[in-house]
């Protein structure tokens, strides 16, 4: 498995407060900044501070918050001007969309941007969602209820018996019955429902599954194994010592690392603000961006991984990294992701190549007397009759 890994020339995002933290929150002041608090002596002085100085500091904080709010509003205006001019089917190829994504998506417009990036409105069939909800319960209905309550304990409106998570997954799994249920589906659906109306969330969910995630919930698990092997190689290129620690010393199975990340899009691993920014870029860039996020998380907890004495402790730090180890802002995390040595086009090519190779090997074992030609995987979709 040979593919070139190089550091991309993507512009680094820095120097800007995350768009989800600018409205209705206090400005964060850096004590080390002389522009905010003056020299070091004044910080540690025991002399009482003058009311004038206190007022100036408060005024500065208000000004910073107002400036951040104004920037947030300007991003809203730019997105509202752009979305009608770019067809959803072309959004993932549009450079203006890419630049605005890197600058930030206002939380007030995020689900509309996600609708655009997934072209979910084009997939939506009038009346289908309500008809799917009237079908008999899927076999995993009770599991969905339990997982919804466990994943979103502070959001009771999401997880009652007739709540939107249960309804959304009931509809989707009855429409696509060959999907292997996992709590990861509940995690993704729940986060979509926190931002989007229920039916819109359903079509975004169906679009993301079709475009990116369905192979992770197939009974064959081929794509999971392929991506696990590719991430292992990427870790080796970025950090040989850590690769040896994880995959040789601790003998970690590569799929044990990628499965809880990729199948649920890092839900439960990253704070919500960070997670939404990651999803913004993922919906534009696709699966290769998840490799960058994984490498960034590994980098953040590197010191803990090198100290780990068991696969369990290493996996805990990878799937639930201490918040203190992560970048303080979502934009800093994105900058770290883009700094990883990885060539996205090679990842795409190697995924296709390795998947075909694994399929041929699997079919050869299952049918030793056939020619070994790869067959086309079919998917079962059950839509209501009009």
């Amino acid at each position: 498995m040979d593919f070139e890994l190089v550091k991309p020339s993507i512009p680094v995002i820095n120097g800007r407060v995350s768009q989800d933290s600018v409205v209705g929150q206090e400005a964060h002041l850096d004590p080390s900044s002389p522009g905010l608090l003056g020299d070091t002596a004044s910080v540690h002085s025991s002399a009482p501070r003058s009311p004038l100085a206190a007022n100036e500091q408060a005024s500065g904080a208000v000004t910073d918050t107002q400036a951040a709010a104004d920037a947030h509003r300007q991003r809203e205006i730019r997105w509202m001007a752009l979305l009608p001019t770019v067809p959803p089917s072309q959004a993932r190829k549009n450079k203006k969309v890419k630049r605005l994504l890197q600058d930030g998506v206002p939380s007030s417009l995020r689900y509309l941007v996600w609708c655009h990036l997934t072209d979910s409105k084009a997939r939506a069939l009038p009346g289908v969602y309500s008809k799917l909800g009237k079908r008999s319960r899927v076999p995993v209905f009770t599991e969905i209820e339990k997982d919804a309550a466990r994943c979103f304990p502070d959001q009771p409106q999401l997880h009652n018996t007739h709540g939107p998570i249960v309804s959304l997954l009931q509809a989707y799994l009855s429409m696509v019955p060959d999907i292997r249920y996992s709590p990861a589906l509940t995690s993704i659906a729940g986060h979509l429902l926190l931002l989007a109306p229920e039916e819109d969330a359903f079509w975004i969910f169906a679009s993301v599954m079709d475009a990116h995630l369905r192979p992770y919930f197939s009974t064959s698990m081929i794509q999971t194994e392929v991506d696990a092997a590719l991430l292992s190689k990427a870790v080796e290129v970025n950090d040989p010592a850590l690769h040896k620690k994880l995959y040789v010393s601790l003998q970690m199975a590569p799929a044990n690392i990628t499965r809880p990340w990729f199948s649920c899009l890092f839900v439960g691993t990253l704070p919500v603000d960070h997670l939404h920014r990651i999803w913004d870029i993922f919906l534009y860039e696709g699966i290769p961006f998840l490799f960058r996020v994984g490498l960034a998380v590994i980098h953040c907890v590197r010191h803990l991984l090198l100290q780990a004495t068991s696969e369990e402790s290493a996996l805990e730090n990878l799937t639930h990294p201490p918040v203190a180890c992560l970048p303080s802002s979502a934009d800093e995390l994105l900058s770290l992701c883009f700094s990883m040595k990885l060539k996205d086009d090679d990842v795409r090519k190697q995924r296709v190549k390795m998947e075909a190779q694994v399929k041929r090997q699997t079919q050869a074992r299952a049918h030793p007397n056939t020619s070994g030609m790869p067959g086309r995987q079919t998917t079962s979709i059950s839509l209501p009759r009009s």
Side-chain angles (χ1 to χ4, degrees), residues 221-281:
M221 299 299 291
I222 290 176
Q223 196 63 69
T224 298
E225 297 294 337
V226 167
D227 288 349
L230 287 173
L231 182 65
S232 171
K233 179 65 175 178
V235 173
E236 184 178 15
V237 171
N238 279 266
D239 194 335
L242 187 57
H243 178 274
K244 182 178 180 180
K245 172 69 176 184
L246 295 178
Y247 298 103
V248 179
S249 299
L250 296 180
Q251 297 184 332
M252 295 186 69
N256 289 347
I257 297 176
T258 54
R259 187 183 299 112
W261 281 346
F262 288 18
S263 65
C264 67
L265 300 179
F266 291 90
V267 174
T269 296
L270 298 174
V272 173
D273 283 354
H274 295 53
L275 182 72
H276 289 167
R277 290 291 280 128
I278 291 300
W279 283 19
D280 294 342
I281 306 298

Side-chain angles (χ1 to χ4, degrees), residues 137-152 158-161 163-174 181-183 185-187 189:
R137 290 185 174 184
V138 294
V140 294
F141 187 91
T142 302
E143 292 181 54
I144 297 172
E145 286 184 309
K146 293 178 180 178
D147 289 337
R150 177 180 56 81
C151 294
F152 299 94
L158 292 181
H159 58 68
N160 58 59
T161 301
I165 291 181
V166 176
S167 298
L168 188 154
L169 290 178
Q170 158 70 28
Y172 182 76
L173 293 174
S174 68
Y181 174 73
S182 162
L185 296 174
T186 296
S187 298

Side-chain angles (χ1 to χ4, degrees), residues 47 79 146 157 212 292 358:
W79 274 108
K146 293 178 180 178
Q157 76 279 9
H212 305 294
R292 292 189 175 279
V358 173

Side-chain angles (χ1 to χ4, degrees), residues 208-226:
V208 172
M209 289 293 293
D210 285 349
H212 305 294
L213 300 184
R214 282 176 66 166
Y216 294 138
F217 301 94
S218 167
T219 54
S220 71
M221 299 299 291
I222 290 176
Q223 196 63 69
T224 298
E225 297 294 337
V226 167

Side-chain angles (χ1 to χ4, degrees), residues 83-106:
L83 290 178
T85 67
V86 179
S89 60
Q90 300 298 316
R92 293 182 61 199
K93 302 176 183 179
N94 189 281
K95 293 182 178 180
K96 291 182 179 179
V97 172
K98 184 174 184 176
R99 285 197 297 269
L100 284 188
L101 285 170
Q102 291 174 343
D103 188 47
V105 179

Side-chain angles (χ1 to χ4, degrees), residues 296-306 317-318 321-322 325-326:
V297 172
I298 289 172
H299 175 81
C300 290
V301 294
R302 181 179 191 274
H303 62 292
L304 297 177
L305 298 176
L306 290 174
N317 286 314
L318 288 168
C325 294
L326 297 173

